[in-house]
Amino acid sequence: MPARTHSARPFSRRPIATALLLALLWLSACATLEPPPPEKTPSAETAPADSDAANAADSDAAHADIFQRMREGFSMPDIDDDLVLRHQEIYLGHPNSFRLMVARSRPYLYHIVEEIEKRGMPMELALLPMVESAYDPMAYSRSKASGLWQFIPATGRYHKLEQNWWLDERRDILASTSAALNFFEALYDRHGDWHLALASYNWGGGAVGKAIAKNQDQGLPTDYRSLASMPEETRNYVPKLQALKNIFRDPELLNALEILQIPNAPYFDTIDFAPSIDVKLAASFAELSEQEFLALNPAHNRPVIVSKSPILLPEGQVGVFAKNIREHIEKKKPLASWQLTTLRAGETLDDVARRFDMTLFDLTRANDIGRNFTPRTGLSLLVRGNKGGEPLTDETLSRSLQFPESERDSGFVTGRYYTIRRGDTLPLIARRTGVSVKEIRHQNKLRGDLIIAGKRLVIPRPTASYGLPTRRPASASVASSTSSASSASSASAPMQRTMSYTIRPGDTLTSIARQYRVAVDDLMRWNRVSPTKLRPGMILRIVLAR
C-alpha cells in the first residue's frame, strides 16, 4: 500500500463565505445544545511496558486532540465540485445535529483512528461512519444494513461477522471496525484508487468494475467522477466524505461550530468475561446506566450477554466492575436472571408471560417476537427468573431459538420501532420505551395522540443515552489570561460523567437525588425541571463525579 503523504491543504478551494457560515449558525442559535459538563483530559503519566505502547503514548502526547491527529493522516486526493459544496452547507446548516453526531463518535473514534494508523490507511476513513451511520452503532437501514459501518447481512457474513439470535457483530465496535478495514484494504488492492474503493463499498465491487469496463470500452476516463452510471447515493458518497474532511481539517471552523474536543486517548478497556450475565447487572457492576453500557456493547440482541463474550468498559472502570462482581458472587447471587422455557402444547404467549410473572410486552421484546408470530409446541423462549425453566448453559445456548423472519420484529432488537397494540396510548408507550411523548410525536410527525393498533412507531433513543463525558473547546474570543485561568481550574476539577435516568412511577427528585448522591438543586438546574412537573417516562440528566 502506498505511503501516506501529509501535505498541508487549504480548507477548500471554494471556501464557504464567512457571512454564509455566520448566517447558518445564527439560524440555529435558538436551538443550541446545552454543553455537557467539563471533563479533564486523560493523561498518560505511567511509562508503557513495551515499545508498541511507547509509540502509542508518543503519538498521543504529540496531538492535543483526536482531530489534530486525524488531520495529519488525511491523504486521499481532494475533490472540489458543487456536490462537495452542497454537503458542506448541509452539515454546517444543521450545527446541532452535527455536534450531536460528533459527540456520538466519542467512545469509538480513538479505537478506529488507532486501527487505521496501524494499517497505514488514509485517516479520512475515520470520518466514514459519519456518512454511513452518523456514528450510531444501532443504525439500521431499509436494506437491513446495521452498525457503525452499515454492513448488510450477506456482506457481514462474508467478513465473518457473526449474526445470530443472541448477538449481531455488525454492531460490535471491535469486530465491525476490523471487518470494514479489511474490506477497504481488499477494495483498494483491487482498484488502486481510494475513491473507487469507497464507491465499491457503497455500490458493490462488481458494479464499480462493470462501470469501469464500460468507460474503458468507450474510451472514457475511469476515475470516480467519470463513472456516469453510478446511482445517486454513490455519486454523493465521496462528496459527503470530502465535505466532512474539509470541515474537520479547519480547527477554527470547528471552534466556531462549538464542536467538543475529543481527547486523543483510549475511551474503553476490553475484558473477556466467561459466564452469562444480565445486561442490566453488568451495567450496574461497572457503575454505568444501561444506556451507557449498551453504547459500548451494542451487539447484544437479548437482555442477557451470553457466555464468553468480550465486554467493553470505559477506561478505568474495569477495577470497579471486578470489585462489584466479586462481591456479588461472594453473596452467591446469580449473574443471569434469565432462563429458557419450552412452549407446551396449546400454550399461548399470554400463558408463558403469566407463568413467569412477565408482561406480554417484556416477553415479546426479549424474544424478538412480531405480530405474525405463531406459537408452536417445543419452541424455546427466553423468560425471566431462575426457576421453572432451564439455565443458560453451553448446551441450551447452542439451540436454535430463531423462528421465521416474517414472525420477528427486528425493531425490538434495535430499539428503533414499536408495534402499537390494542389499548396502547402514547404516554404508556413512552413509559415502556423510556422516551418522552414529545419525542415520539416529533419522530413520527404526529400532531395529536391518536394512534392505530398494528402500526409501527419509530422510537428515538434519548440524546443523553450515551452519557458521554466531553470537553468543550475554549472560545476563540476568550482572552489568553482567561483561558489560562480556565485551564488551571479544569485541571484541578474532578472528572465527571453524565448519565440518563428514566423516571418511574413513584419517583421524586428527592429519592433520585438520594439514590445517586447528588443535590436536588443540581437535578433541577441540570434538567430545568421543578418537583411538580415530574412525569413517568421523562429522562433526567445526572452528572456524577468519577
Side-chain angles (χ1 to χ4, degrees), residues 13-153:
R13 286 167 290 179
R14 302 176 62 182
I16 297 176
T18 302
L20 173 59
L21 172 59
L22 293 176
L24 292 171
L25 294 176
W26 179 83
L27 285 172
S28 63
C30 60
T32 300
L33 292 175
E34 186 177 20
E39 178 202 42
K40 185 168 69 175
T41 304
S43 60
E45 298 179 357
T46 305
D50 55 58
S51 59
D52 288 342
N55 292 335
D58 289 342
S59 176
D60 293 349
H63 303 95
D65 59 50
I66 200 71
F67 301 136
Q68 180 183 343
R69 183 177 176 186
M70 290 165 59
R71 281 191 287 273
E72 294 184 7
F74 288 162
S75 59
M76 288 186 191
D78 283 329
I79 58 174
D80 182 21
D81 58 22
D82 289 339
L83 281 179
V84 174
L85 183 60
R86 188 208 307 173
H87 289 297
Q88 285 179 185
E89 291 173 346
I90 290 172
Y91 285 126
L92 296 175
H94 299 81
N96 290 338
S97 298
F98 192 81
R99 281 191 284 271
L100 180 58
M101 177 173 67
V102 176
R104 273 201 299 260
S105 74
R106 165 70 171 98
Y108 323 116
L109 198 53
Y110 179 86
H111 171 74
I112 291 173
V113 166
E114 280 278 291
E115 294 303 304
I116 290 171
E117 196 169 81
K118 286 177 185 175
R119 297 170 184 241
M121 300 172 78
M123 200 55 72
E124 288 91 338
L125 294 176
L127 299 174
L128 195 65
M130 294 186 181
V131 177
E132 286 286 352
S133 63
Y135 258 109
D136 182 354
M138 299 300 286
Y140 189 80
S141 76
R142 292 179 180 177
S143 59
K144 300 182 180 179
S146 187
L148 291 178
W149 299 93
Q150 289 290 282
F151 279 99
I152 61 172

Side-chain angles (χ1 to χ4, degrees), residues 98-218:
F98 192 81
R99 281 191 284 271
L100 180 58
M101 177 173 67
V102 176
R104 273 201 299 260
S105 74
R106 165 70 171 98
Y108 323 116
L109 198 53
Y110 179 86
H111 171 74
I112 291 173
V113 166
E114 280 278 291
E115 294 303 304
I116 290 171
E117 196 169 81
K118 286 177 185 175
R119 297 170 184 241
M121 300 172 78
M123 200 55 72
E124 288 91 338
L125 294 176
L127 299 174
L128 195 65
M130 294 186 181
V131 177
E132 286 286 352
S133 63
Y135 258 109
D136 182 354
M138 299 300 286
Y140 189 80
S141 76
R142 292 179 180 177
S143 59
K144 300 182 180 179
S146 187
L148 291 178
W149 299 93
Q150 289 290 282
F151 279 99
I152 61 172
T155 307
R157 285 190 292 271
Y158 180 82
H159 289 280
K160 298 181 173 56
L161 293 176
E162 191 171 357
Q163 300 161 62
N164 58 42
W165 197 77
W166 295 102
L167 83 164
D168 187 341
E169 286 190 331
R170 294 179 300 161
R171 300 196 304 267
D172 184 278
I173 307 305
L174 305 184
S176 68
T177 298
S178 178
L181 297 184
N182 288 343
F183 194 11
F184 271 114
E185 285 182 326
L187 292 172
Y188 180 78
D189 287 343
R190 177 176 182 175
H191 297 295
D193 180 291
W194 281 110
H195 291 162
L196 293 176
L198 287 163
S200 297
Y201 188 86
N202 177 257
W203 189 18
V208 170
K210 289 178 182 177
I212 290 173
K214 181 178 179 181
N215 276 27
Q216 287 173 335
D217 291 343
Q218 297 175 357

Side-chain angles (χ1 to χ4, degrees), residues 274-289:
S276 297
I277 184 172
D278 286 1
V279 168
K280 188 174 291 187
L281 197 59
S284 70
F285 288 157
E287 299 184 359
L288 302 171
S289 71

